[in-house]
Amino acid sequence: MREKIQEVIVVEGRDDTTRLQEVYDVDTIETNGSAVSKQTIERIKRAQETRGVIILTDPDYPGDRIRAIVEEQVKGCKHAYLPRAEAKDKRGKIGVEHASPATIRRVLEALYEQRIETDMPLVTRQMVLEADLIGGPDAARRRKRLGVLLRIGEPNAKQFVKRVEALRVTIEEWERALAQLEEENH
């Protein structure tokens, strides 16, 4: 028997729903593209009020766009980020539907909640710069790995700063992830 997920998961399409339902007993809302309709947003708001929402979109530009639209209009969603390398098929096509059951389980167990308010110290843009994650010969690789460790996806430099701020990554989480990154590099 498959484990039931309480929250409704926002995905891009029917193939994503099919893949998730192979792993979990789950309800989804499909956006059917990156132009998320008002009706879809209303369904997501209703789901957030009654059950909670997890956003799990493809790790690409359209997926990031959908995530941003939903996040802007529906507060308090949880986020699950798939690493790009684990969401590819043999031809290099990227999508939730290509992720293995093990990967889907792992990302849904490591959800990231957008914190509305916190009294914990948060990571700043300056801290991202000081960690050599923008510019420099190794910045892209370090940023990609740190994004995976922080469970915020693998964004470019500009998006990395936005996600760290929007998802309110704490200094404790930041330091723990940076320490792991440094340990892996030695």
Side-chain angles (χ1 to χ4, degrees):
M1 193 164 119
R2 293 168 299 148
E3 181 183 345
K4 172 77 174 156
I5 293 185
Q6 167 64 35
E7 297 90 348
V8 175
I9 302 181
V10 174
V11 295
E12 294 180 47
R14 184 176 58 243
D15 291 341
D16 300 337
T17 294
T18 300
R19 171 56 84 186
L20 287 174
Q21 289 176 343
E22 291 171 4
V23 182
Y24 288 106
D25 178 3
V26 63
D27 296 315
T28 63
I29 295 175
E30 298 165 2
T31 64
N32 298 311
S34 59
V36 185
S37 72
K38 287 181 182 177
Q39 293 86 355
T40 300
I41 290 293
E42 288 308 312
R43 287 181 56 219
I44 296 169
K45 284 180 180 177
R46 170 80 179 142
Q48 176 65 351
E49 290 167 7
T50 58
R51 294 178 53 186
V53 167
I54 299 168
I55 303 171
L56 177 59
T57 55
D58 297 349
D60 57 12
Y61 177 78
D64 288 345
R65 184 171 188 280
I66 291 166
R67 186 181 297 275
I69 290 167
V70 173
E71 184 179 70
E72 182 181 308
Q73 297 186 44
V74 184
K75 299 300 178 204
C77 294
K78 295 177 184 176
H79 295 267
Y81 290 95
L82 274 172
R84 285 178 75 90
E86 296 179 56
K88 285 185 180 178
D89 70 3
K90 290 177 178 80
R91 295 180 311 277
K93 218 165 144 24
I94 293 175
V96 170
E97 71 271 22
H98 305 302
S100 71
T103 297
I104 290 189
R105 277 190 209 90
R106 193 181 75 248
V107 300
L108 287 174
E109 288 169 1
L111 295 174
Y112 209 110
E113 289 187 61
Q114 184 177 15
R115 294 182 176 100
I116 306 300
E117 292 296 324
T118 182
D119 55 358
M120 299 181 82
L122 303 175
V123 175
T124 63
R125 184 180 203 302
Q126 187 60 37
M127 292 170 72
V128 173
L129 290 170
E130 290 169 2
D132 296 323
L133 298 170
I134 299 174
D138 204 26
R141 185 197 60 78
R142 288 174 52 83
R143 189 174 54 248
K144 181 177 180 179
R145 181 64 185 138
L146 197 59
V148 169
L149 293 172
L150 290 169
R151 304 182 326 267
I152 64 170
E154 302 169 38
N156 63 30
K158 187 176 178 182
Q159 284 299 315
F160 189 92
V161 172
K162 284 183 178 181
R163 283 191 193 168
V164 163
E165 291 173 343
L167 295 171
R168 298 179 184 236
V169 173
T170 66
I171 291 176
E172 180 183 330
E173 292 168 314
W174 179 255
E175 289 175 349
R176 191 170 44 242
L178 271 179
Q180 184 174 341
L181 178 67
E182 296 309 324
E183 189 176 301
E184 290 173 0
N185 290 336
H186 288 18

